[in-house]
Amino acid sequence: MKYLVKEISEGNCDITLLPENLNDRNLLIEAAKNLPENHQETFQFHYEHALKNEVHDQASFISLNEAESNYPKRVNVNYQII
C-alpha cells in the first residue's frame, strides 16, 4: 500500500491509502462494505507506517478524527512526535 500524506497543521494530517495491487484494493473494498473494525489493526498499521515514513520517524498515532474522514481510504489523524 502506498500513502499520500498531507500535513494540515502540527500534530494533524490527512492520510490517503493508495492500493498498489489487487489485494490492497480488495481490502479497502471489503472494509468499506463490511464491518471496518474487522480490519482496524491492519489499517492502523498502514496509518502508523505512513506517519513514520512521510511525517517524522518518531511520529506516533494518537487518534482518528471520524467526522473529517472517509474511513478507511482517507483519514484525518492526530499524531505527536515522541
Side-chain angles (χ1 to χ4, degrees):
M1 189 89 62
K2 289 187 178 183
Y3 318 102
L4 176 62
V5 178
K6 179 181 176 189
E7 196 158 2
I8 305 298
S9 64
E10 187 174 329
N12 181 266
C13 68
D14 282 341
I15 300 173
T16 303
L17 300 178
L18 305 170
E20 290 187 276
N21 56 44
L22 189 57
N23 288 337
D24 290 347
R25 186 172 171 215
N26 288 341
L27 178 65
L28 288 171
I29 291 169
E30 183 179 330
K33 287 182 180 178
N34 299 314
L35 301 173
E37 54 270 4
N38 292 346
H39 303 286
Q40 186 173 6
E41 286 182 27
T42 301
F43 289 117
Q44 182 152 342
F45 167 80
H46 286 298
Y47 304 144
E48 289 175 352
H49 192 259
L51 283 173
K52 290 187 184 309
N53 286 330
E54 303 293 331
V55 176
H56 191 281
D57 62 351
Q58 296 297 313
S60 177
F61 177 87
I62 294 177
S63 63
L64 174 71
N65 300 316
E66 292 184 33
E68 299 177 32
S69 297
N70 183 12
Y71 184 86
K73 179 140 175 83
R74 190 196 61 76
V75 293
N76 181 271
V77 299
N78 294 319
Y79 68 90
Q80 70 179 16
I81 307 297
I82 53 172

